[in-house]
């Protein structure tokens, strides 16, 4: 038995290390725009050349057409596009939103700037929705994803190992997630000042993000045992975090990594936090539904697992009595 365990350690540890390196390093090494939503505003005749130049970056941009600068600004504020090139009589103007992704804003400045230099024009850049001055690179928001994931895993594991069942487990998970939300908002918004939206909306986002993970951990553990903790932890830590696009944007990750990441709690959490903090809740429906489904299914699994165990315990004595009477 000891030999088997030794072999398991020798084999599994390098495999897990290789998997972790792949999950975290591969998307980072392949960062590039892939169908990145970008607006072009102005009369069709004036924007034709700009669109032609942008389409030379094959597969990089998903072009959206707008009549004027006001429409392009509205699209950025609604999170329909990450930026827009406005063609004016004075020359091209680039609208960005560093709050949506500082990396994308810089990428657009480089791409559009190179085209402008080649054509002899000068581009004026306007940051329509700027990142807060206390976190211009979005590092604090990106750093919030991992702690929320860890908090959820720990809460779900504690509920499992402390033997909480049914509605007691549900209550513990919901209350702990609520406290996580309040504390996280107090730190990120009130103390550090890296979030600038509605305080309670941010607290609710933190709470829902933590609950989505903790409920999934406790729910799967209630159905399949402690192994469920490892399964969910692997899914949200090894895949959810590197696939979240929190540090860059989902459209900068290799396909289908960016899409998969938005189906997992870390990616949905980062997207929702940006929406409620900087964009007045624009484009928040999708992430809210994703996190809500994770939380609801997890809590439902907690109750179902408890019911199945209670039923099994209730039928076993009856079965034994029946066998005894037959004997």
């Amino acid at each position: 038995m000891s030999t088997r365990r030794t072999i398991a350690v020798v084999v599994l540890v390098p495999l897990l290390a290789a998997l972790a390196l792949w999950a975290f390093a591969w998307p980072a090494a392949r960062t590039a725009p892939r169908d990145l939503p970008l607006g072009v505003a102005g009369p069709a005749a004036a924007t034709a050349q700009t669109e032609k130049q942008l389409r030379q970056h094959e597969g990089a941009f998903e072009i959206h057409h707008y009549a004027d600068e006001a429409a392009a600004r509205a699209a950025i504020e609604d999170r329909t596009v990450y930026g827009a090139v406005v063609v004016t009589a004075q020359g091209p103007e680039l609208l960005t939103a560093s709050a949506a992704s500082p990396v994308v804003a810089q990428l657009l400045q480089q791409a559009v700037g190179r085209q402008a230099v080649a054509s002899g024009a000068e581009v004026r850049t306007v940051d329509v929705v700027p990142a807060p001055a206390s976190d211009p690179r979005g590092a604090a928001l990106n750093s919030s994803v991992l702690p929320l994931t860890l908090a959820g895993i720990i809460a779900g594991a504690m509920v499992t190992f402390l033997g909480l069942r049914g509605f007691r487990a549900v209550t513990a998970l919901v209350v702990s997630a609520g406290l996580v939300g309040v504390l996280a908002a107090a730190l990120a918004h009130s103390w550090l000042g890296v979030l600038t939206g509605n305080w309670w909306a941010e607290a609710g986002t933190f709470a829902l993000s933590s609950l989505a993970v903790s409920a999934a951990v406790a729910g799967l553990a209630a159905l399949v045992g402690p192994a469920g903790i490892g399964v969910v932890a692997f899914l949200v830590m090894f895949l959810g975090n590197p696939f979240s696009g929190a540090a860059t944007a989902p459209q900068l990750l290799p396909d289908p990594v960016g899409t998969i990441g938005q189906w997992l709690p870390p990616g949905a959490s980062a997207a929702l936090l940006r929406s409620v903090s900087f964009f007045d809740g624009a484009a928040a429906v999708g992430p809210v539904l994703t996190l809500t489904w994770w939380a609801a299914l997890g809590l439902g699994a907690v109750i179902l697992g408890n019911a199945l165990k209670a039923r099994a315990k209730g039928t076993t004595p009856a079965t034994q009595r029946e066998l005894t009477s037959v004997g």
Side-chain angles (χ1 to χ4, degrees):
M1 182 64 70
S2 60
T3 303
R4 291 182 179 178
R5 291 176 179 175
T6 302
I7 294 174
V9 171
V10 170
V11 173
L12 287 178
V13 170
L15 284 177
L16 288 175
L19 181 60
L21 183 61
W22 166 81
F24 282 86
W26 173 60
R30 296 292 184 268
T31 298
R34 296 171 176 84
D35 292 326
L36 184 74
L38 177 64
V40 175
T47 60
Q49 182 62 27
T50 300
E51 291 182 33
K52 182 179 179 181
Q53 292 174 340
L54 291 173
R55 294 188 190 280
Q56 289 177 357
H57 304 277
E58 188 174 353
F61 300 112
E62 178 185 278
I63 305 298
H64 295 246
H65 301 273
Y66 299 102
D68 51 29
E69 181 178 345
R73 283 176 174 267
I76 293 173
E77 293 169 351
D78 289 340
R79 302 202 71 185
T80 303
V81 294
Y82 281 90
V85 180
V86 182
V87 180
T88 68
Q90 292 75 32
E93 180 182 68
L94 174 63
L95 306 180
T96 63
S98 58
S101 171
V103 174
V104 170
Q106 185 178 11
L107 182 151
L108 292 177
Q109 290 179 41
Q110 292 173 350
V112 177
R114 282 195 298 266
Q115 292 178 359
V117 169
S119 61
E122 184 178 350
V123 179
R124 185 171 71 96
T125 301
V126 179
D127 199 345
V128 177
V129 188
S134 55
D135 187 28
R137 295 180 177 84
L141 188 145
N142 176 38
S143 300
S144 69
V145 175
L146 181 59
L148 286 175
T149 303
L150 288 174
I153 293 173
I154 292 171
M158 288 184 65
V159 164
T160 300
F161 290 127
L162 291 176
L164 299 180
R165 300 281 186 268
F167 289 101
R168 285 188 177 181
V170 170
T171 301
L173 292 169
V174 172
V175 172
S176 65
L179 291 176
V180 167
V182 170
L183 290 174
L187 290 171
H189 185 118
S190 304
W191 181 43
L192 297 176
V194 298
L195 302 180
T196 58
N198 180 274
W199 196 94
W200 287 107
E202 293 164 358
T205 296
F206 283 125
L208 183 58
S209 302
S210 179
L211 181 61
V213 177
S214 63
V217 169
L220 193 58
L223 293 177
V224 304
I229 299 174
V231 172
V232 177
F234 170 82
L235 191 61
V236 297
M237 285 291 293
F238 280 84
L239 297 183
N241 276 282
F243 290 7
S244 68
T248 55
Q251 293 84 358
L252 297 187
L253 300 179
D255 293 330
V257 167
T259 301
I260 294 173
Q262 298 308 296
W263 296 341
L264 300 175
S269 301
L272 180 58
L273 191 57
R274 287 190 188 280
S275 290
V276 301
S277 298
F278 309 126
F279 294 88
D280 293 327
V285 175
V288 166
L289 290 177
T290 298
L291 294 172
T292 300
W293 273 110
W294 275 83
L297 291 175
L299 295 177
V302 169
I303 296 174
L304 177 61
N306 179 68
L308 292 175
K309 290 177 182 178
R311 181 178 179 182
K313 290 181 180 179
T315 56
T316 298
T319 303
Q320 291 177 344
R321 288 195 299 271
E322 183 178 343
L323 291 175
T324 301
S325 63
V326 172

